[in-house]
Structures are given as structure tokens and as C-alpha cells.
């Protein structure tokens, strides 16, 4: 048996980030940028007004108040986007809108609320300070400044910054194409009429959804029957992908042929019993240049193993440096007993409770009980050495989504 860390390490060494492609900045959302981005221009490009008001010379407002306003001549009106035509001389002001360039000669803006129109002039009711309500050219970004670093995930803020530079395209790591192969004579496809002896191939869909959730592209290869030739054919069809994921056929049954086929077809095939539950059997090898992970067939085992091994591998391919789900500490709501020596991943619901999190299991933990996965938003991780945790004890929870703060109870 090998540890979860060891299995993960062996998979991740075989995985490299994919190459780069240019995509539209909106398509770049959630992708990892493959270039450093330097500012090609100053933002903002010119000094401009932060307020609707009057651009003026600070010295003209000395001693001004509501009772003793400074009276100025209004020489022009500068809407946002306009170019000022006049220089502001002593005793003069320009009506100015937010975002409009500050005219020459002016060194402050006084907001509308601190002014009054009077006899065709403007009365300034306060003393202005130097530079007041003027946004300086380059105060956000200086030309030549490095603003986005290679390897960062593009979020809405980065999209906005790229747009501000007039960049409509950006270099990002490619999205991995992940082939999904289900194996099993008992499987029937989603649209076929299931007979009582058959099981609908749900794994191909849950795994494809997990692939999509990582930001990668699933490639459905379909169902391989438990025959050597069929598994070989499906694996060969999968080889155009960047990563192949299969489910089923990695246990010790007579028809569990995936690992044998992997041994024959590929090289450096490794088969592990990972010290975890669910998801103990795991096969890993290379099919030519393409990494192949054989997941167990039970629906929950396949998903939990995907979370622990495939998700980090896909994120690494996408150029990400943070490969793991967030974990938090939570107070356990019930007693749990387990065997020593293996790590347990227990389907659970975690919820905020004031400043703390509390967590309860979502019922039967059988590796075929997909319902308890449906109800889970996290996995309690119980370490190898632990055999019992009592209600009230603190446990580590791996978050599967961001539904921690449910305030309304779903209908169960
Ligand atoms: P295996 O690992 O091939 O022995 O599969 C274990 C069990 O997982 C099978 O008996 C099925 O009940 C279930 N199973 C395997 N493959 C799938 C699949 N693609 N979709 C849903 N259930 C599956
Ligand atoms: Mg099987």
C-alpha cells in the first residue's frame, strides 16, 4: 500500500503544464496567463477630475467660505471625453465633469456641492487644497510597470486591466482534453432503456462534469466491455487526449482487465493500493506520451479519487500553481470510528455556525452511495493514525464547492 501523498507525487511528476494559446480576454477567465503583462500606457492617461464641479486655481479660493465665497468667471464647460480648449487664468474656472481632463492652469477641482451659481459667475464656498479631486495621470499604472505576472489566474480584475490596456487577446495555458473511458459489462448508456441487470454508466458523466468543473474539456470515449480487445480499442481512441481517465476494472476480479491492458499497451504502468477509503485501487501509467489514470468503478470512489489525484493533475496541466481544494477546520457533529492505517474521506455537509464551522456526515458511506455525495459539500479527512473522533472534536474538511454559507436549507 502507498500513501495518498506518495500516489499524488508519482502522478504529478509525470504531468507537465500544457503549451500556450491566444484567447479572447473573456475566454481567458479562470485560465492561467502565460505571459507577463507590462503597461503599454499610463492609466489614467491624463490628469482628470474625480468629481463633477469646477476646475480652478487653488490660490483664488483662499479664505473662501459660504459667507465669503470666491467669485470666479466660468470660461468653458468640459464634459467627460472632451479636450479643454482654454487655459484657466486668475479669477477663472471651468465647469468640469467626472473623468474629464483637467485644463491647464487649474490645480484643483471643487465639487458641485461646494459651489453656487450667482449672477453668471460661480461662487466657490470652500477653500481648495492643491490637487484636490484631481486624479493624476499614471496614478493607477505607470507606463512600463509589470501589472500581471505569468502564472496568475485570470479573474475579472485581470480581465479589466487587460481591457484597460487595449489588450483583447492574451496568452494562456491550453485547456487539457481529458478522455473518459468507462469499463464494465454491466453498464448501459444513459439513453438506453435499462434492464434490471444493468447499471447506467453514471461515472462517465460525473467524471466529465468534474473535468468541466476544473476548466478542462471532457472527451467521451464511451463504454469498454470487460474484454481485452475492447479496452485496447477504447484506450487507443483516447490517445489524442492530454490525459486519459478510466473507471472500473482495477480491482482483483477476473474481469478487471484495465491494469493488464495498461501493462501490455503502455509502459511504466504502476498499480497501487492507496491507503485511502473510498478509492483504494488506483492504476497509473503512460499510454505512449499520454498519462492514464485508472479509477475504481464505484461511483463515489471514482469521484473521490478524481478529487484527490485527477483534479490536481488537470490544474497542473492548466499551468496552475495552487492545485488543491481548500480545507478548513470544523467541529464534528457526531462520533466517527474508523480503521487505523488508512485515510478516510467522509462525505459531509459543512456549514458556518457563527465564527466556527460545523460538519455532519451525509449518511451511508458505502462507495456506491452516490446520494451521500449529492448531499455533500465537503469531505472530512480523517488521517491514517486516527481510529475515533468524538462529537465536538475538530476535523479537517476538504471543501468541494463554495456552499459553506447556506442560509436556506435545501429541501431535505
Ligand atoms: P469495478 O471497479 O469495475 O469492479 O466496479 C465496481 C462497481 O462500480 C460495479 O459493480 C458497478 O456497480 C459500479 N460501476 C462501475 N462502473 C460504473 C460506471 N461507469 N457508472 C456507474 N457505476 C459503475
Ligand atoms: Mg467492472
Amino acid at each position: 500500500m502507498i500513501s495518498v501523498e506518495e500516489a499524488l507525487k508519482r502522478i504529478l511528476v509525470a504531468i507537465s503544464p500544457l503549451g500556450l494559446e491566444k484567447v479572447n480576454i473573456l475566454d481567458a477567465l479562470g485560465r492561467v496567463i502565460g505571459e507577463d503583462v507590462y503597461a503599454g500606457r499610463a492609466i489614467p492617461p491624463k490628469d482628470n477630475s474625480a468629481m463633477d464641479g469646477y476646475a480652478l486655481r487653488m490660490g483664488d479660493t483662499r479664505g473662501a467660505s459660504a459667507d465669503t465665497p470666491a467669485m470666479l468667471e466660468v470660461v468653458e464647460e468640459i464634459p467627460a471625453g472632451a479636450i479643454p480648449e482654454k487655459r484657466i487664468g486668475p479669477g477663472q474656472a471651468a465647469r468640469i465633469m467626472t473623468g474629464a481632463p483637467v485644463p491647464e492652469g487649474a490645480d484643483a477641482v471643487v465639487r458641485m456641492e461646494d459651489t453656487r451659481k450667482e449672477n453668471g459667475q460661480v461662487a466657490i464656498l470652500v477653500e481648495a487644497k492643491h490637487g484636490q479631486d484631481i486624479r493624476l495621470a499614471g496614478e493607477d499604472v505607470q507606463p512600463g510597470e509589470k501589472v500581471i505576472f505569468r502564472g496568475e489566474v485570470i479573474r475579472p480584475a485581470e480581465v479589466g486591466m487587460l481591457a484597460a490596456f487595449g489588450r483583447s487577446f492574451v496568452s494562456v495555458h491550453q485547456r487539457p482534453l481529458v478522455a473518459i473511458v468507462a469499463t464494465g459489462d454491466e453498464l448501459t448508456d444513459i439513453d438506453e432503456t435499462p434492464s434490471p441487470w444493468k447499471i447506467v454508466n453514471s461515472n462517465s458523466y460525473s467524471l466529465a462534469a468534474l473535468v468541466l468543473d476544473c476548466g478542462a474539456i471532457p472527451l467521451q470515449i464511451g463504454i469498454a466491455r470487460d474484454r481485452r480487445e475492447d479496452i485496447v480499442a477504447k484506450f487507443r481512441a483516447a490517445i489524442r487526449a492530454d490525459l486519459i481517465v478510466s473507471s472500473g476494472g482495477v480491482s482483483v476480479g477476473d474481469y478487471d482487465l484495465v491494469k493488464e491492458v495498461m501493462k501490455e499497451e503502455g509502459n511504466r504502468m504502476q498499480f497501487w493500493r492507496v491507503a485511502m477509503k473510498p478509492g483504494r485501487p488506483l492504476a497509473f501509467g503512460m499510454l505512449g506520451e499520454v498519462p492514464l489514470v485508472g479509477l475504481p468503478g464505484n461511483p463515489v470512489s471514482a469521484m473521490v479519487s478524481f478529487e484527490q489525484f485527477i483534479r490536481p493533475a488537470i490544474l497542473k496541466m492548466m499551468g496552475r500553481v495552487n492545485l488543491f481544494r481548500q480545507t478548513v477546520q470544523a467541529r464534528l457533529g457526531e462520533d466517527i470510528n474508523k480503521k487505523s492505517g488508512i485515510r478516510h474521506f467522509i462525505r459531509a455537509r459543512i456549514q458556518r455556525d457563527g465564527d466556527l464551522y460545523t460538519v455532519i456526515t451525509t449518511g451511508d458511506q458505502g462507495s456506491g452511495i452516490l446520494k451521500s455525495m449529492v448531499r455533500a459539500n465537503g469531505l472530512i479527512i480523517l488521517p491514517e493514525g486516527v481510529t475515533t473522533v468524538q462529537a465536538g472534536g475538530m476535523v479537517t474538511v476538504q471543501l468541494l464547492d463554495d456552499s459553506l454559507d447556506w442560509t436556506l436549507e435545501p429541501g431535505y
Side-chain angles (χ1 to χ4, degrees):
M1 267 210 304
I2 65 171
S3 68
V4 175
E5 273 78 24
E6 184 60 27
L8 185 62
K9 202 171 94 188
R10 292 191 199 175
I11 291 172
L12 289 181
V13 274
I15 302 284
S16 315
L18 299 182
L20 304 179
E21 62 177 336
K22 285 226 161 187
V23 300
N24 181 281
I25 52 172
L26 278 183
D27 293 328
L29 190 66
R31 311 276 296 269
V32 176
I33 191 162
E35 57 175 318
D36 290 326
V37 176
Y38 294 89
R41 53 173 87 142
I43 301 176
K46 292 259 181 249
D47 292 358
N48 67 76
S49 179
M51 286 284 177
D52 285 331
Y54 289 87
L56 45 71
R57 298 159 73 96
M58 159 197 107
D60 285 345
T61 66
R62 200 157 296 142
S65 70
D67 297 332
T68 58
M71 300 306 297
L72 302 176
E73 176 200 357
V74 181
V75 294
E76 73 171 322
E77 188 172 303
I78 314 165
I83 304 166
E85 284 166 4
K86 304 226 169 74
R87 186 170 206 289
I88 303 301
Q92 295 182 330
R95 173 88 173 89
I96 195 166
M97 313 304 160
T98 306
V102 175
E104 272 188 55
D107 57 10
V109 168
V110 171
R111 58 185 188 150
M112 206 57 193
E113 295 88 323
D114 294 329
T115 69
R116 195 167 61 217
K117 273 196 178 142
E118 234 173 79
N119 309 325
Q121 290 193 307
V122 60
I124 308 294
L125 312 178
V126 294
E127 230 179 50
K129 291 194 193 72
H130 183 77
Q132 172 177 317
D133 285 327
I134 295 177
R135 304 177 188 138
L136 297 176
E139 76 171 18
D140 183 359
V141 177
Q142 294 286 333
E145 187 181 339
K146 191 170 161 179
V147 277
I148 306 177
F149 293 70
R150 214 180 127 182
E152 286 182 332
V153 175
I154 298 187
R155 304 164 305 158
E158 282 75 21
V159 171
M161 187 58 93
L162 287 161
F165 296 139
R167 291 280 311 263
S168 49
F169 281 81
V170 67
S171 244
V172 293
H173 285 278
Q174 288 163 17
R175 297 170 70 194
L177 189 59
V178 182
I180 296 162
V181 181
T183 72
D185 279 342
E186 75 280 30
L187 300 179
T188 168
D189 214 338
I190 188 169
D191 291 318
E192 288 170 40
T193 314
S195 74
W197 299 277
K198 297 276 187 181
I199 285 169
V200 176
N201 169 22
S202 59
N203 285 355
S204 283
Y205 295 90
S206 55
L207 294 173
L210 285 164
V211 167
L212 282 172
D213 194 49
C214 292
I217 307 162
L219 175 63
Q220 292 283 19
I221 303 292
I223 302 167
R225 297 305 167 194
D226 289 323
R227 283 189 305 278
R228 255 194 193 73
E229 321 79 71
D230 202 20
I231 297 171
V232 169
K234 293 291 188 300
F235 280 177
R236 287 189 182 159
I239 206 147
R240 63 203 144 112
D242 300 300
L243 173 67
I244 305 168
V245 177
S246 71
S247 75
V250 290
S251 311
V252 290
D254 290 345
Y255 295 96
D256 290 331
L257 299 169
V258 167
K259 45 190 199 290
E260 284 178 40
V261 170
M262 284 175 71
K263 215 172 268 169
E264 290 159 15
E265 283 290 300
N267 52 58
R268 287 178 285 146
M269 139 75 196
Q270 307 176 55
F271 176 70
W272 308 315
R273 290 160 61 80
V274 184
M276 64 187 276
K277 191 180 173 182
R280 185 189 307 224
L282 190 75
F284 177 68
M286 303 293 291
L287 219 57
E289 298 293 302
V290 187
L292 191 167
V293 185
L295 300 175
N298 276 306
V300 174
S301 314
M303 289 190 77
V304 170
S305 294
F306 183 106
E307 280 292 340
Q308 309 315 316
F309 305 113
I310 314 274
R311 194 171 194 278
I314 290 176
L315 295 189
K316 186 172 178 191
M317 283 183 160
M318 292 173 68
R320 288 274 290 265
V321 287
N322 294 323
L323 305 182
F324 303 113
R325 293 278 200 196
Q326 228 183 309
T327 57
V328 297
Q329 296 297 308
R331 193 174 297 288
L332 188 59
E334 64 205 89
D335 296 345
I336 303 182
N337 297 306
K338 69 181 264 295
K339 270 200 299 197
S340 177
I342 54 175
R343 188 176 302 184
H344 280 219
F345 293 91
I346 296 167
R347 284 144 267 166
R349 260 188 69 195
I350 175 168
Q351 210 165 354
R352 189 190 291 282
D353 182 6
D355 290 339
L356 284 173
Y357 295 112
T358 55
V359 66
I360 49 167
T361 69
T362 55
D364 188 346
Q365 296 290 316
S367 52
I369 309 294
L370 195 53
K371 186 171 68 185
S372 55
M373 199 70 191
V374 168
R375 293 181 179 173
N377 61 353
L379 295 171
I380 299 171
I381 303 179
L382 293 183
E384 290 75 353
V386 167
T387 52
T388 175
V389 190
Q390 272 161 4
M394 296 302 283
V395 288
T396 300
V397 181
Q398 182 179 53
L399 304 181
L400 296 176
D401 56 48
D402 55 6
S403 63
L404 269 177
D405 288 307
W406 278 342
T407 45
L408 296 175
E409 285 288 305
Y412 49 78

